[in-house]
Amino acid sequence: MTRVYRAHIFHIAGSPEQTDVAAHLVSLPDGAMAVDDEGRIAWIGDHSALPAEYGDAPVADADYLLPGFVDSHVHYPQAYATAAHGGGQLLEWLDHCIFPTEAQYADPEFAASAARYFTRRRIAAGTTAAMVFGSAFPVAQDALYRETLAAGLRVVSGRGVQTVGPAAASALITGEREAIDLVADEIDRWHAVDTGDPRTAKVQVAVVPRFSLSVTRETLHAMGELYEDARMRGVYFHSHLNENNRKGDGEIAAVLGTYGVDSYLDTYDGRFLEGSRTGGHSLLGRRSTLAHAVHSQPGELARMAETGTSIAHCPTSQLFLGSGTMPWRATVAAGVNIALGTDIGAGDEWLISRVAGDCYKVHISEEGDSGTALHPAELLFAATLAGARALDMEHAFGNLDVGKDADFLLIDTSLWEPLDGMLAMGIRSDDEEQSTLEELFTLLMGLRQPAIAGVYVQGAKAAAPPL
């Protein structure tokens, strides 16, 4: 049955470059969207122009309607580790908080409970699609996929691969051959399991080494061999890049010292031998996303742009771990797609719009001429369509164009009084265009989870698992 949703609708229409998103912002103050019985957007526009063929369709009213949020980097086995005190930056935090937390997912009962919790948190935050860094344990991954399917959400995930690491990570480490066999098995059992087609599937699989320090040259070579075939099946690649630049003993220094390469990105680009010589196949491409990229060299950004590799920008996490600030304008100018990620659990916000708020704050605070006040359309784009682009699923979701899957959120401002007050009573410009931007900015900055009244994927309301 076709249904109509009436609200103030915001989205980024079409398929713009990141530098041109403001021109593609659509605002329909009294908008309507018709969703057909296959869960696709059949029509969108001003409610006054709703075609007669939808006149008898049931109507659901809301204050606002937005595309579903896309989280381009979130850690499932760190779901309980938000706000954990690690006593230091990235590497210390991993040792003290994360490796012990992730080891718990070997227990089937714990993993089943965690998968339900993770899925509930996603629905509460309006995250309809996510690139999920997975658990090392197949039993936990199986639970994640089952709960995601039952809830009706979208996920790309893959077991976190570690073949080397500190003593604190010993429970997560496997042998070289076992690591590859487990990844191959996960791909065979779960990739596009729901439809058989990676262009339409809600459940998809990625090859996911934690980072270059968690694997060896042998692992990277074997992953490249596996991925050379798997990428033809629509499998993804996901990892971390250039997060911590502490001099001498930070992540980047450790990678460059361990591999003897010219850049961190080289290790994922098949050039992981001493002197950045080629040792295997590249893992970069349209279905590859690298989290953070805070301290990237110009050549690394150029190579990511060339290969279509996306960046998952995680400003909330970078604040928490003291990792620094990704230079926004320089990264955009390089032509790399930038999507937002919560990075739960270094990030302590599940709600992507709150990550967008931190994005605005850190980049307006960049030093000198680098500081920039991001346009509200840039923030909405990074929270929605850029994430769909990073997942190579822009053809299916990310905005509200006719023909796409109806992945969207309904917002009821009365459910969160501060948001209601800011939107109803806040000062607005007399200029209509400027007033629209002010309203969108306040909506994104002020949104909190209680105001998300409905989360829909392919036109169906997401079903939260029981406690």
Side-chain angles (χ1 to χ4, degrees):
M1 175 189 294
T2 297
R3 294 182 178 274
V4 172
Y5 298 87
R6 185 178 183 181
H8 188 158
I9 298 173
F10 283 110
H11 76 119
I12 306 297
S15 183
E17 296 297 320
Q18 198 139 11
T19 53
D20 193 36
V21 297
H24 290 253
L25 175 64
V26 171
S27 170
L28 300 169
D30 185 17
M33 184 175 75
V35 178
D36 66 23
D37 56 7
E38 294 184 347
R40 294 192 182 93
I41 299 169
W43 185 88
I44 186 169
D46 290 320
H47 182 263
S48 62
L50 185 70
E53 63 186 290
Y54 305 121
D56 294 330
V59 178
D61 292 311
D63 294 312
Y64 293 92
L65 190 156
L66 299 175
F69 292 140
V70 183
D71 190 340
S72 63
H73 182 65
V74 54
H75 290 256
Y76 158 54
Q78 296 177 20
Y80 295 126
T82 56
H85 181 254
Q89 294 184 353
L90 173 65
L91 298 183
E92 294 80 20
W93 176 77
L94 287 171
D95 281 350
H96 298 156
C97 301
I98 297 309
F99 296 142
T101 292
E102 293 191 3
Q104 298 176 94
Y105 283 67
D107 181 296
E109 289 189 14
F110 184 94
S113 177
R116 293 191 297 272
Y117 173 77
F118 183 80
T119 303
R120 288 194 301 273
R121 298 278 63 74
R122 282 191 56 189
I123 293 172
T127 302
T128 53
M131 174 69 86
V132 178
F133 199 104
S135 168
F137 305 106
V139 66
Q141 286 299 99
D142 291 349
L144 171 66
Y145 293 130
R146 285 194 301 268
E147 293 296 343
T148 302
L149 278 172
L153 299 176
R154 300 182 189 270
V155 70
V156 177
S157 188
R159 67 174 302 271
V161 176
Q162 289 195 241
T163 54
V164 291
S170 59
L172 310 173
I173 296 172
T174 67
E176 305 276 359
R177 186 67 258 165
E178 183 184 3
I180 300 304
D181 288 346
L182 287 171
V183 173
D185 177 67
E186 185 172 1
I187 292 169
D188 288 342
R189 291 191 300 114
W190 286 109
H191 187 59
V193 67
D194 51 323
T195 68
D197 181 354
R199 287 184 58 81
T200 60
K202 292 180 184 174
V203 169
Q204 304 200 56
V205 177
V207 176
V208 185
R210 182 183 295 279
F211 59 169
S212 294
L213 294 177
S214 73
V215 294
T216 66
R217 290 189 176 93
E218 289 72 21
T219 315
L220 288 169
H221 175 82
M223 280 185 173
E225 293 291 314
L226 172 67
Y227 196 57
E228 191 67 9
D229 171 64
R231 76 163 74 229
M232 297 298 102
R233 298 165 58 186
V235 171
Y236 295 77
F237 173 75
H238 186 44
S239 195
H240 299 85
L241 177 75
N242 291 329
E243 182 175 2
N244 178 276
N245 198 31
R246 188 171 62 198
K247 301 305 179 186
D249 64 349
E251 174 211 19
I252 297 173
V255 170
L256 299 183
T258 298
Y259 285 92
V261 292
D262 298 328
S263 78
Y264 195 151
L265 187 69
D266 286 345
T267 61
Y268 300 132
D269 202 14
R271 296 186 295 149
F272 47 74
L273 299 181
E274 191 82 26
S276 290
R277 291 180 295 113
T278 299
H281 295 293
S282 177
L283 296 163
L284 307 182
R286 282 174 59 93
R287 288 202 161 200
S288 300
T289 299
L290 294 171
H292 305 300
V294 179
H295 307 284
S296 297
Q297 301 173 27
E300 292 176 299
L301 294 176
R303 179 61 175 157
M304 282 188 274
E306 177 188 6
T307 58
T309 301
S310 291
I311 290 172
H313 180 33
C314 307
T316 305
S317 161
Q318 285 143 27
L319 287 167
F320 182 77
L321 290 177
S323 301
T325 301
M326 184 197 80
W328 179 269
R329 291 298 177 208
T331 306
V332 169
V336 189
N337 179 52
I338 306 168
L340 290 178
T342 59
D343 197 28
I344 295 292
D348 58 358
E349 290 290 354
W350 289 88
L351 187 60
I352 279 289
S353 59
R354 297 210 71 184
V355 176
D358 284 341
C359 184
Y360 181 84
K361 294 167 191 173
V362 299
H363 294 301
I364 201 172
S365 301
E366 286 188 60
E367 293 185 3
D369 294 339
S370 296
T372 182
L374 296 186
H375 192 282
E378 290 183 286
L379 299 173
L380 180 61
F381 176 80
T384 57
L385 192 57
R389 187 172 294 176
L391 296 182
D392 196 27
M393 292 293 286
E394 190 175 357
H395 63 276
F397 60 88
N399 63 14
L400 305 174
D401 287 351
V402 170
K404 288 192 176 182
D405 290 345
D407 291 15
F408 63 97
L409 311 178
L410 296 181
I411 310 299
D412 182 347
T413 61
S414 70
L415 299 175
W416 183 246
E417 184 183 7
L419 177 64
D420 195 43
M422 286 183 282
L423 288 165
M425 307 304 291
I427 298 298
R428 296 284 179 269
S429 171
D430 292 332
D431 178 81
E432 183 178 351
E433 181 177 347
Q434 180 60 31
S435 177
T436 295
L437 298 181
E438 292 167 354
E439 185 173 359
L440 173 59
F441 185 81
T442 299
L443 175 62
L444 292 173
M445 297 302 101
L447 181 63
R448 297 296 184 268
Q449 291 184 18
I452 299 176
V455 179
Y456 294 79
V457 177
Q458 290 182 337
K461 193 169 186 179
L467 293 173

